[in-house]
């Protein structure tokens, strides 16, 4: 690392920054992490001195390859994320480029202000990237683009000097032109270029009625300013920098305009049988001045069925529409907005465009509708290799009245090339994200993409449209700018680049002088899918190699704790790309594609996985359903086969073997484990962090109580209660409460004499041991399932293993039995809620007290919390599900030496603070054993299992 410049050159980091959300992959020479604009200037000078390029990057969500480059990739997101000033009187904010858009808006919300541009990636995209791409988003018909909201940019120029670009009077502009600096040369050169070519620019550029025009450099915007138009707006070079993709200057900070929030909104969702009808309806809707009108087609709607998180957001769909529009009206009077929505619905019915137009007014339900829409891109990108839709033409824009005919012509191009397409996004402003299905690993697919790109560029020109509406030209569209703007414009664009960056160090090959479309593709005919030997069968994905390709780079895993959700808890704590699902998945794919089976020995991958908590959040929250917990388990098993299992890993993976001995003398064991000298030894030899409070052994195990002291008084239907080692040895009162509840409900409880199903072994990458447990347990579990006996578990991660990993760890001849077991398996709250609903609620002992529920990560991902909520309600409580993310303990993770600080930081981010705000007598529910102990360690509070509220 070049310490003073914050430049990193190790291979792991370079691999992590070789891709973004586009189709491209390019390994950089190094990665820089500036902390200030002074650092940026120093990095620029370093690049000039060493003859290397700089590609600026925020969240890396660009779709056209803007944030990949061969030189220095400069990540401004990790350290340059300060909101410098909020000025509510001026309705302005000054921010560093790494500030996340939603983070800014959470800060301005108390002033009833927001930064208007609203992309689908607002929970991780950054203001610097929004400037680079001139981002717009869902509400662009209302808020326009980033360019309309930019006031001032404090930038670093290509010689390392600094300049501030802001509105200038004609007199101020003349002074700038007199400067004997690069800044002065820029003002002189750009104003002369515009003055000499203004008429040609206005004639060649996209039609001014198109709000989202982002092809080439925004010379047409400069043509609208003083001194070129007498009553035009003041000259502001910041508007040119918007959409310049980091090719002209590096943003050090920016001042942006804020707008007032409308207090009320209503959503109407007309359903359509054809795309044409939806676009004709858009023309009608735009006449009524909506805040947004977004198209979602059947391909995305179908993809939501396969995504655990998005299935919950389909509530508003009626039947199986071919496509829908999500139309929002904003204002100050709710009833007036409802009336407007009803008027539009009536109009669409009269025109025979749509018969089904649900109207949604509830705030939470509206949020769920938009969450489904925002997931669209990630869902598309996660359709797998057969459904890949490269982003070479997905950003075109035309005038809204032209949209129906334009799409008909576009469909003809699709027909000519014998392919299908996804249609979605910003219909209200004439831009649809059009994603043809093409296999780039087939040489014919490459040729098809190149041919279609040319045809589509010609079509866009015929409508005087924009090749890029918001996602930028980058590498994907830059080769076709000439077709759209005309050959006479290309020398002007190159001249702009030369004026600002004469040595071509800023993001070369983007907008001007691009490489061919097909170079540096992540997937190409030369890509070979790895097929290493594995222990999991990877049945859903098709193979481990297919699983390695699921990540699409959308970067949903980069959201911070204050954005909600659970994925990725370690990234929320560290802010490092290697701790995202995306970063880890990229390393998996790159290393296994290169090293094949030998990748199981990769130190880079082992390091990147070290802070993965195996929380399973990515399995539901990632739009591509990447299951990093399972990938980690597979890798770790392979690592163990090559390097062996050390004592620490063996202890955490098989701690249950020591439990019987410790439980014989629980008082002695508990005293022993509390002694400082013993804690020191446990840390030294077994890797248990000495700062942790170890769970106490109970005076009597659950099994001793059940077998010796308990007599069943019920002869009803049998149920199986799986009692895990934590319940048996540490918290037998949880098991006892479960037995009492089940028997009170008329069930005869059978408790098997085994406590392990393999969860710790899977988490620790000891899959061979987990498979041994599966082989031992499956015959008995299958017998219960065959007898139609419900199999109920108290610890979510343990019982859900039977519904998740068992289905992929079992052999083919065991699959039918394993599926039957999974079908008969229930978390305790699932079964209890069903019992209470069917048999009556029993004793109402809740007294309407509020119970604050912190959910277990595996349960959130695989089963959800609705049944915990339901059973507490049925028992007379008022449950409140907390959005507290991951607790940070994650089984053994938080106990392990080297993980304690990260574990506690994860807990501090939301969980501890949320519970700290509650009164001392507040009731807290947490179904996970490790969650309850993290809560005790972090807050000193006592949390209970759901069953403990049912007595």
């Amino acid at each position: 690392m070049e310490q003073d410049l914050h430049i990193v050159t190790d291979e792991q980091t370079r691999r992590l920054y070789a891709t973004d959300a586009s189709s491209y992959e390019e390994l950089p020479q190094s990665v820089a992490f500036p902390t200030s604009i002074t650092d940026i200037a120093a990095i620029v000078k370093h690049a000039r001195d060493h003859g290397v390029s700089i590609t600026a990057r925020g969240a890396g969500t660009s779709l056209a390859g803007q944030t990949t480059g061969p030189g220095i990739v400069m990540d401004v997101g990790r350290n340059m994320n300060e909101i410098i000033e909020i000025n509510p009187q001026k309705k302005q904010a000054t921010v560093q480029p790494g500030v996340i858009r939603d983070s800014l808006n959470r800060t301005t919300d108390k002033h009833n202000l927001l930064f208007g541009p609203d992309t689908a990636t607002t929970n991780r995209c950054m203001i610097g990237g929004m400037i680079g791409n001139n981002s717009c988003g869902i509400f662009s018909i209302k808020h326009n683009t980033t360019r309309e909201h930019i006031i001032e940019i404090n930038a670093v120029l290509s010689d390392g000097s600094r300049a501030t670009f802001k509105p200038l009077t004609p007199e101020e502009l003349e002074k700038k032109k007199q400067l004997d600096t690069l800044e002065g040369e820029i003002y002189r050169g750009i104003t002369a270029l515009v003055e000499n070519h203004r008429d040609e620019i206005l004639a060649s550029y996209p039609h001014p009625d198109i709000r989202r025009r982002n092809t080439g450099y925004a010379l047409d915007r400069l043509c609208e300013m003083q001194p070129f138009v007498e009553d035009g707006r003041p000259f502001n070079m910041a508007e040119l920098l918007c959409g310049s993709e980091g090719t002209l200057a590096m943003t050090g900070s920016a001042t942006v305009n804020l707008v007032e929030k409308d207090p009320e909104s209503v959503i109407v969702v007309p359903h359509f049988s054809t795309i044409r009808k939806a676009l004709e309806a858009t023309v009608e809707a735009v006449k009524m001045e909506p805040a947004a009108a977004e198209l979602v087609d059947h391909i995305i709607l179908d993809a939501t069925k396969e995504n655990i998180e998005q299935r919950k957001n389909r509530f508003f769909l009626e039947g199986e529409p071919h496509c829908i529009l999500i139309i929002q009206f904003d204002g100050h009077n709710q009833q007036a907005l409802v009336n407007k929505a009803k008027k539009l619905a009536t109009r669409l019915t009269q025109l025979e465009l749509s018969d089904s137009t649900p109207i949604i007014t509830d705030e939470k339900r509206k949020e769920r509708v938009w969450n489904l829409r925002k997931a669209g891109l990630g869902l598309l990108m996660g359709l797998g290799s057969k459904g890949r839709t490269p982003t070479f033409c997905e950003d075109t824009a035309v005038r809204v009245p032209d949209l129906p005919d334009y799409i008909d012509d576009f469909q003809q191009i699709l027909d000519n090339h014998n392919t299908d397409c996804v249609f979605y996004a910003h219909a209200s402003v004439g831009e649809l994200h059009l994603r043809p299905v093409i296999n780039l690993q087939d040489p014919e697919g490459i040729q098809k993409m190149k041919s279609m790109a040319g045809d589509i560029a010609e079509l866009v020109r015929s409508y005087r449209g924009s090749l890029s509406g918001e996602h930028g030209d980058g590498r994907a569209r830059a080769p076709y700018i000439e077709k759209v703007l005309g050959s006479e414009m290309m020398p002007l664009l190159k001249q702009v680049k030369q004026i600002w960056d004469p040595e071509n160090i800023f993001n070369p090959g983007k907008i001007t002088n691009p490489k061919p479309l097909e170079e540096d593709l992540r997937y190409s005919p030369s890509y070979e899918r790895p097929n290493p030997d594995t222990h999991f069968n990877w049945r859903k994905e098709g193979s481990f190699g297919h699983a390695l390709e699921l990540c699409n780079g959308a970067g949903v895993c980069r959201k911070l704790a204050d954005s909600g959700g659970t994925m990725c808890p370690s990234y929320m704590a560290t802010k490092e790309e290697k701790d995202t699902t995306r970063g880890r998945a990229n390393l998996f794919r790159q290393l296994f594609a290169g090293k094949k089976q030998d990748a199981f020995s990769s130190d880079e991958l082992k390091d990147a996985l070290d802070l993965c908590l195996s929380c399973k959040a990515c399995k539901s929250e990632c739009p591509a359903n990447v299951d990093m917990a399972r990938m980690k388990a597979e890798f770790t098993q392979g690592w163990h086969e090559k390097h062996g299992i050390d004592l620490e890993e063996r202890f955490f993976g098989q701690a249950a073997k020591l439990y019987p001995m410790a439980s014989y003398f629980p008082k002695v064991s508990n005293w022993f484990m509390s002694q400082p000298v013993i804690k020191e030894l446990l840390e030294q030899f077994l890797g248990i962090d000495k700062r942790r409070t170890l769970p106490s052994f109970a005076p009597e195990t659950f099994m001793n109580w059940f077998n010796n002291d308990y007599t069943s008084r019920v002869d009803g239907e049998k149920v199986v209660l799986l009692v895990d080692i934590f319940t048996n040895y540490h918290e037998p009162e949880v098991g006892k409460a479960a037995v009492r509840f089940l028997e009170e409900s008329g069930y005869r409880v059978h408790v098997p004499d085994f406590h392990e199903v393999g969860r710790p072994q899977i988490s620790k990458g000891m899959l061979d041991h987990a498979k041994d447990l599966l082989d031992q347990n499956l015959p008995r579990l299958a017998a219960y399932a065959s007898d139609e006996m419900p199999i109920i578990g108290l610890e979510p991660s343990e019982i859900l293993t039977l519904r998740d990993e068992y289905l992929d760890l079992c052999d083919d001849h065991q699959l039918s039995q394993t599926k039957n077991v999974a079908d008969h398996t229930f978390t305790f709250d699932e079964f209890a809620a069903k019992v209470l609903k069917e048999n009556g609620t029993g004793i109402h002992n809740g007294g309407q007290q509020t119970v604050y529920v912190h959910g277990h990560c595996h349960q959130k991902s695989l089963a959800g919390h609705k049944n915990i909520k339901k059973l507490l309600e049925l028992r007379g409580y008022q449950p409140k599900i907390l959005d507290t993310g991951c607790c940070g303990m994650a089984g053994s993770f938080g106990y392990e030496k080297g993980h304690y600080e990260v574990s506690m930081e994860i807990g501090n981010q939301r969980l501890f603070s949320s519970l700290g705000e509650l009164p001392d007598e507040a009731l807290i529910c947490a179904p996970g054993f490790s969650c309850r102990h993290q809560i005790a360690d972090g807050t000193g509070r006592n949390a209970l299992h759901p069953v403990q509220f049912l007595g």
Side-chain angles (χ1 to χ4, degrees):
M1 176 186 292
E2 301 197 32
Q3 204 69 34
D4 293 340
L5 297 179
H6 307 281
I7 296 176
V8 178
T9 58
D10 67 276
E11 188 170 346
Q12 182 199 66
T13 305
R14 293 166 59 218
R15 287 185 185 277
L16 289 167
Y17 286 85
T19 60
D20 52 13
S22 73
S23 302
Y24 294 97
E25 181 170 286
E26 191 171 10
L27 193 68
Q29 288 185 22
S30 58
V31 183
F33 300 96
T35 62
S36 65
I37 192 169
T38 302
D39 284 349
I40 294 177
I43 293 166
V44 170
K45 290 177 180 177
H46 171 87
R48 283 171 54 90
D49 292 344
H50 291 80
V52 297
S53 64
I54 302 179
T55 298
R57 174 182 174 120
T61 57
S62 293
L63 291 166
Q66 291 95 323
T67 59
T68 63
I72 301 171
V73 170
M74 188 175 71
D75 179 353
V76 298
R78 182 185 294 183
N79 301 315
M80 295 188 67
N81 44 35
E82 179 187 353
I83 298 174
I84 298 169
E85 181 187 21
I86 303 293
N87 189 325
Q89 288 73 38
K90 289 186 176 181
K91 297 181 182 177
Q92 294 178 2
T94 300
V95 299
Q96 290 184 316
V99 169
I100 294 172
R101 185 269 192 185
D102 281 359
S103 297
L104 172 60
N105 280 358
R106 275 188 286 272
T107 304
T108 61
D109 185 63
K110 60 186 175 185
H111 304 295
N112 197 43
L113 298 171
L114 78 156
F115 180 62
D118 185 28
T119 68
T121 58
T122 52
N123 61 7
R124 68 264 192 205
C125 75
M126 300 171 184
I127 300 299
M130 296 183 76
I131 290 170
N133 277 0
N134 189 34
S135 299
C136 322
I138 290 170
F139 293 95
S140 56
I141 191 172
K142 177 180 181 180
H143 295 306
N144 287 305
T145 75
T146 298
R147 187 176 285 130
E148 279 76 29
H149 296 270
I150 200 71
I151 298 170
E152 181 177 307
I153 293 177
N154 190 9
V156 176
L157 303 181
S158 62
D159 64 350
S161 63
R162 291 166 56 171
T164 298
F165 299 102
K166 60 183 181 180
L168 301 174
T169 64
E171 293 74 23
E172 290 171 328
L173 176 58
E174 285 303 314
K175 287 183 180 179
K176 289 287 187 182
K177 290 163 67 175
Q178 303 307 313
L179 294 174
D180 187 22
T181 61
L182 178 56
E183 181 184 6
E185 292 178 21
I186 289 169
Y187 276 105
R188 289 190 294 274
I190 293 298
T191 53
L193 184 152
V194 173
E195 185 173 8
N196 293 333
H197 301 280
R198 182 172 180 272
D199 290 344
E200 303 148 63
I201 291 168
L202 292 176
S204 300
Y205 266 63
H207 197 287
D209 287 352
I210 301 171
R211 293 171 184 254
R212 299 164 64 121
R213 51 192 200 273
N214 206 37
T215 301
Y217 294 118
L219 296 173
D220 56 334
R221 300 284 297 192
L222 299 185
C223 291
E224 301 166 358
M225 299 175 182
Q226 302 173 16
F228 311 112
V229 176
E230 187 176 345
D231 57 351
R233 59 187 179 279
F235 190 86
N236 187 356
M237 205 77 84
E239 291 195 33
L240 181 69
L241 291 179
C242 279
S244 65
E245 304 177 19
T247 63
L248 303 182
M250 300 283 111
T251 299
S253 66
T255 299
V256 297
N257 172 61
L258 303 174
V259 296
E260 291 187 10
K261 294 175 63 176
D262 284 310
E264 304 290 346
S265 65
V266 168
I267 290 176
V268 57
V269 190
H271 295 30
F272 303 96
S273 58
T274 67
I275 294 288
R276 174 85 194 194
K277 287 186 176 182
L279 299 181
E280 291 176 354
T282 301
V283 177
E284 294 297 319
V286 166
K287 295 174 184 176
M288 300 181 70
E289 299 182 343
E294 296 286 295
L295 178 74
V296 183
D297 80 350
H298 66 285
I299 296 178
I300 294 176
L301 294 177
D302 287 345
T304 63
K305 298 176 183 177
E306 303 301 319
N307 183 270
I308 297 171
E309 189 75 10
Q310 294 309 319
R311 277 202 295 266
K312 307 169 191 174
N313 296 330
R314 290 174 51 87
F315 69 93
F316 61 92
L317 295 175
E318 299 175 1
E320 297 288 341
H322 183 79
C323 58
I324 59 172
L325 285 174
I326 302 174
I327 301 170
Q328 179 166 310
F329 293 104
D330 289 352
H332 289 74
N333 185 304
Q334 179 82 346
Q335 188 55 53
L337 298 176
V338 170
N339 292 340
K340 185 181 280 191
K342 288 180 177 179
K343 182 179 178 181
L344 175 61
T346 300
R347 177 62 175 158
L348 298 184
T349 301
Q350 291 172 344
L351 294 173
E352 298 183 348
L353 296 175
S354 175
D355 292 325
S356 180
T357 50
I359 295 173
I360 300 155
T361 58
D362 177 77
E363 288 300 320
K364 289 186 177 179
R365 289 165 72 86
K366 287 187 292 186
E367 183 179 355
R368 288 169 62 193
V369 173
W370 284 123
N371 284 343
L372 180 137
R373 157 62 190 93
K374 288 188 173 186
L377 175 60
L379 292 171
L380 277 182
M381 296 167 72
L383 290 176
S385 57
K386 292 184 179 178
R388 286 211 182 103
T389 54
T391 59
F392 67 98
C393 66
E394 49 81 56
D395 202 33
T396 62
V398 297
R399 289 178 294 176
V400 175
D402 291 335
L403 196 53
D405 289 340
Y406 171 75
I407 292 304
D408 281 348
D409 291 340
F410 192 95
Q411 182 63 53
Q412 186 59 57
I413 293 175
L414 294 173
D415 294 342
N416 293 344
H417 291 276
N418 192 31
T419 190
D420 296 319
C421 187
V422 179
F423 299 84
Y424 81 108
H426 317 297
S428 62
V429 286
E431 180 193 2
L432 293 185
H433 293 328
L434 307 167
R435 306 285 294 265
V437 178
I438 296 176
N439 180 9
L440 298 183
Q441 290 176 243
D442 183 341
E444 291 184 7
I446 297 290
Q447 292 305 314
K448 181 183 291 189
M449 177 177 69
K450 292 172 65 177
S451 178
M452 288 186 67
D455 292 347
I456 292 163
E458 294 284 1
L459 177 64
V460 170
R461 181 181 175 91
S462 72
Y463 279 88
R464 203 184 167 190
S466 179
L467 194 58
S468 170
E470 67 169 328
H471 293 164
D473 297 316
R475 297 192 54 171
R477 283 175 280 277
Y480 302 93
I481 294 174
E482 185 171 351
K483 279 183 178 288
V484 174
L485 298 185
S487 58
E488 64 276 11
M489 285 296 105
M490 293 312 297
L492 300 187
L493 299 183
K494 291 178 180 180
Q495 189 177 340
V496 171
K497 173 68 171 172
Q498 176 67 24
I499 290 168
W500 284 80
D501 182 20
E503 295 186 30
N504 195 32
I505 65 167
F506 284 166
N507 212 9
K510 317 306 190 313
I511 301 181
T512 61
N513 300 311
K515 291 182 181 180
L517 176 66
E518 70 275 15
E519 281 195 24
D520 300 322
L521 291 170
R522 191 185 314 181
Y523 300 108
S524 68
S526 63
Y527 173 81
E528 293 184 16
R529 178 175 295 124
N531 187 32
D533 296 331
T534 60
H535 286 255
F536 283 120
N537 287 288
W538 302 95
R539 290 186 170 97
K540 180 181 178 182
E541 296 83 359
S543 72
F544 184 54
H546 284 89
L548 298 178
E549 299 168 11
L550 281 178
C551 177
N552 50 61
V556 180
C557 46
R558 285 182 56 98
K559 63 183 185 295
L560 300 182
D562 55 8
S563 290
T566 302
M567 177 181 68
C568 288
S570 53
Y571 173 76
M572 292 177 183
T574 69
K575 314 296 189 297
E576 292 198 22
E577 179 74 16
K578 75 179 179 70
D579 295 323
T580 65
T581 297
R582 178 176 75 178
R584 293 165 180 145
N586 275 329
L587 288 176
F588 261 107
R589 176 181 45 76
Q590 293 172 25
L591 289 165
F592 274 93
K595 297 183 178 182
K596 310 298 191 235
Q597 197 78 27
D598 288 341
F600 283 115
S601 289
S602 169
D603 290 317
E604 298 169 62
L605 198 45
K606 190 173 191 297
D607 175 67
L609 291 168
D610 179 56
L611 295 185
C612 174
L613 284 79
S614 298
C615 67
K616 287 281 184 180
C618 49
K619 188 176 174 71
S620 61
E621 292 183 29
C622 169
N625 302 128
V626 174
D627 189 346
M628 187 51 61
R630 190 175 302 186
M631 293 171 72
K632 177 182 179 180
E634 190 73 77
F635 170 80
T636 309
Q637 169 69 38
W639 175 274
H640 289 155
E641 289 174 359
K642 292 179 177 294
H643 301 279
I645 307 175
D646 62 34
L647 183 60
E648 293 179 13
E649 292 174 305
R650 195 174 296 278
F651 169 76
F652 284 116
Q654 298 182 322
K657 291 184 176 181
L658 301 176
Y659 272 41
M661 185 187 306
S663 70
Y664 284 136
F665 307 101
K667 288 184 179 180
V668 174
S669 297
N670 293 338
W671 176 86
F672 189 76
M673 292 187 302
S674 67
Q675 300 307 300
V677 65
I678 300 302
K679 286 194 161 195
E680 290 279 358
L681 291 173
L682 290 174
E683 181 176 90
Q684 182 177 348
F685 292 104
L686 296 180
I688 303 172
D689 195 287
K690 62 186 177 185
R691 290 166 287 186
R692 278 294 179 193
T693 301
L694 297 176
S696 298
F697 286 91
E700 181 185 35
T701 67
F702 170 85
M703 291 305 294
N704 281 342
W705 171 82
F706 187 80
N707 291 330
N708 302 323
D709 302 336
Y710 178 74
T711 302
S712 176
R713 294 178 294 276
V714 177
D715 191 23
E717 180 183 343
K718 274 190 176 183
V719 296
V720 178
L721 181 66
L722 287 186
V723 177
D724 54 275
I725 60 171
F726 314 110
T727 301
N728 184 51
Y729 292 104
H730 298 303
E731 296 184 347
E733 64 275 12
V734 172
K736 294 175 184 179
V739 170
R740 285 193 292 269
F741 171 81
L742 292 168
E743 293 216 335
E744 286 171 5
S745 302
Y747 292 94
R748 184 175 179 83
V749 180
H750 172 72
V751 179
D753 58 6
F754 62 86
H755 305 302
E756 292 188 278
V757 298
R759 177 75 261 155
Q761 290 83 354
I762 291 169
S763 295
K764 287 300 170 188
M766 300 164 66
L767 298 183
D768 47 357
H769 295 279
K771 180 60 165 63
D772 289 342
L773 287 170
L774 182 154
D775 292 338
Q776 295 169 27
N777 297 337
L778 186 60
R780 295 180 65 181
L781 293 169
Y784 301 143
S786 295
D787 289 340
E788 298 298 324
M789 295 171 63
I791 303 167
I792 307 163
L794 295 163
E795 179 62 25
S797 61
E798 294 279 326
I799 194 67
L800 290 171
T801 299
L802 305 186
R803 294 196 338 214
D804 187 22
E805 285 92 352
Y806 265 37
L807 290 167
D808 220 24
L809 194 57
C810 69
D811 296 328
D812 288 345
H813 73 273
Q814 297 171 313
L815 184 57
S816 178
Q817 280 189 326
T818 308
K819 285 181 176 178
N820 197 33
V821 168
D823 290 341
H824 286 80
T825 296
F826 302 90
T827 62
F828 179 82
D829 51 280
E830 288 174 334
F831 190 78
K834 176 175 175 286
V835 167
L836 290 175
K837 185 176 181 181
E838 292 177 354
N839 298 351
T841 58
I843 301 170
H844 291 268
N845 59 349
Q848 295 303 305
Q849 295 179 82
T850 300
V851 177
Y852 299 90
V853 181
H854 165 72
H856 186 283
C857 290
H858 285 208
Q859 187 164 4
K860 281 186 280 193
S861 178
L862 301 172
H865 293 135
K866 63 180 180 181
N867 288 296
I868 295 179
K869 184 173 185 289
K870 187 184 300 182
L871 72 86
L872 289 171
E873 287 173 341
L874 290 170
R875 214 56 158 178
Y877 295 96
Q878 292 185 333
K880 179 177 175 58
I881 307 295
L882 300 173
D883 184 12
T884 42
C886 178
C887 74
M889 186 69 87
S892 67
F893 179 88
Y895 289 99
E896 296 167 11
K897 180 177 63 177
H899 293 163
Y900 178 82
E901 285 84 3
V902 171
S903 171
M904 297 305 286
E905 172 59 24
I906 292 169
N908 273 321
Q909 289 188 332
R910 280 184 285 169
L911 176 60
F912 299 163
S913 58
S914 295
L915 299 183
E917 296 170 357
L918 303 179
D920 292 342
E921 67 276 10
L923 298 174
I924 302 169
C925 174
F929 173 82
S930 62
C931 302
R932 295 193 291 276
H933 283 260
Q934 177 79 324
I935 288 169
D937 274 6
T939 69
R941 291 175 176 266
N942 184 39
L944 301 176
H945 189 282
V947 69
Q948 294 174 288
F949 291 90
L950 301 183

